[in-house]
Amino acid sequence: MSTPVIVIAALTATTLAIKAIGPITVGGRELPGWARDIVLLLGPALLAALVVTQTFTADERLTVGPEAAGVGVSGVVMWRTRSVVATVVTAAVVTAGLRALG
Amino acid sequence: MATPPTPAPFRDRVLAGLRAGLPFGVASFVLAMSFPVVASEAGFSALEAIAASALIFAGSAQFTAVAVLIQGGGAGAAIVAATLMNARYLPMGIALAPSLIGGRLRRAVEGQAVVDASWAMASRGDGTFDRGILFGSTLALYVGWVGGTIAGAVAGDLLSDPEALGLDAIYPAFFLALLINEVRSGRARAAAALGAAIALALTPVAPAGLPIVLASFAALIALWRRAPAEERAS
């Protein structure tokens, strides 16, 4: 098997397993109140972690490049307009513009 | 939002999820167009890139896997890094489980619908989730993701340099849009700030993906630190 086929097969299996573990172990049991409070804060914590790692990381090192400016401006657009499409288009346009200038 | 006593039929919730997911599906389409271009550098054929999107359906994991391969890592390293990247679906699945229906096996199948955007959109704000919204928004994202991958594979020559078009900035902007919709309380803002700080602090020392999983602890810390502080303020 070629490398891409091995990687696709393995990641299909691990993703399926990771997504299945929670529902299989917890089943239909209600989470206690404190656990539901954690669930509410889990979204912001994980999303913020994704934003900063995708924005400031290149080759597992921290960097600040044009994409940081693009993502920053896009955040202002989202905050003001609540339009997801305008937000991602802004991020791409600002980043591409700065790269073209640089 | 439907008002009790009669909850909106399941089909209406799915349609509502589809509508809510549409803008994210469009963003996901644009981002996915760059995947076959990047993946081809890692030796993926157009068909393999499309199969990856259709079967794995996890942008961060797919891009992580091909990045490791491009940097010269082997299949094993790519699989471990991308699996770590997906490890956040474990706490998300635990959170979601009671909101699904049926036995454990059925819940495990329904739990496959979790992706970041649909999980966040399906959250009712009380720790439970609307599974109709989850399925509808995931469908919009899936069509966008796989459709964008096919479009990128077909029109790949037009996208020879995704970075010049700023396409790599779409992914973090996509998550930032979700985050801005999510932070409605001081506690949520604290959890977001802490999660970002944990992820940034660990990035130079931990393998890709692990800093994001460990950022989960920000939820615990924000909950534990914030409660006494709010009591003092009052």
Side-chain angles (χ1 to χ4, degrees):
Chain A
M1 275 199 291
S2 69
T3 300
V5 173
I6 292 169
V7 170
I8 292 167
L11 288 181
T12 302
T14 60
T15 307
L16 196 132
I18 289 168
K19 288 182 178 181
I21 289 172
I24 285 176
T25 52
V26 178
R29 278 175 292 171
E30 286 280 311
L31 296 176
W34 58 267
R36 275 189 297 197
D37 284 341
I38 292 174
V39 169
L40 284 181
L41 299 177
L42 196 57
L46 286 172
L47 290 170
L50 281 166
V51 171
V52 296
T53 52
Q54 303 291 332
T55 305
F56 299 111
T57 308
D59 300 336
E60 301 205 6
R61 287 170 46 200
L62 295 177
T63 53
V64 178
E67 64 274 19
V71 173
V73 176
S74 80
V76 177
V77 171
M78 182 62 194
W79 180 49
R80 305 295 289 191
T81 68
R82 299 280 156 164
S83 162
V84 178
V85 174
T87 301
V88 299
V89 168
T90 302
V93 169
V94 172
T95 304
L98 288 174
R99 284 197 183 127
L101 291 173
Chain B
M1 278 289 157
T3 48
T6 39
F10 178 67
R11 200 195 50 183
D12 290 356
R13 308 304 299 148
V14 174
L15 286 175
L18 202 54
R19 273 194 300 275
L22 200 62
F24 288 96
V26 172
S28 168
F29 182 96
V30 179
L31 178 67
M33 284 173 67
S34 64
F35 179 70
V37 182
V38 181
S40 73
E41 289 177 49
F44 281 58
S45 68
L47 201 64
E48 284 165 344
I50 294 165
S53 285
L55 293 170
I56 306 168
F57 181 41
S60 52
Q62 289 173 233
F63 278 108
T64 300
V66 296
V68 170
L69 293 175
I70 291 167
Q71 287 160 27
I79 292 162
V80 170
T83 299
L84 267 176
M85 207 67 216
N86 272 345
R88 66 182 184 280
Y89 291 133
L90 183 63
M92 289 162 77
I94 292 170
L96 176 73
S99 302
L100 302 173
I101 61 166
R104 285 164 198 268
L105 186 63
R106 164 132 191 216
R107 282 171 205 263
V109 173
E110 291 195 358
Q112 300 303 315
V114 168
V115 282
D116 305 284
S118 61
W119 184 83
M121 273 185 273
S123 171
R124 287 202 188 97
D126 61 356
T128 66
F129 294 82
D130 185 320
R131 55 190 275 283
I133 298 278
L134 178 82
F135 295 154
S137 54
T138 293
L139 181 62
L141 285 154
Y142 189 81
V143 170
W145 185 246
V146 178
T149 308
I150 294 169
V154 172
D157 294 344
L158 302 172
L159 289 168
S160 58
D161 190 358
E163 288 209 356
L165 298 171
L167 293 189
D168 54 317
I170 288 181
Y171 205 48
F174 179 94
F175 288 122
L176 185 58
L178 277 172
L179 177 64
I180 289 170
N181 276 340
E182 280 277 299
V183 287
R184 297 188 199 97
S185 67
R187 255 191 193 170
R189 277 189 287 277
L194 266 169
I198 291 171
L200 282 180
L202 293 177
T203 293
V205 292
L210 197 56
I212 295 167
V213 185
L214 294 177
S216 301
F217 286 99
L220 267 174
I221 300 167
L223 188 67
W224 171 60
R225 295 281 305 178
R226 196 75 192 184
E230 272 165 6
E231 274 166 32
R232 271 201 303 274
S234 59

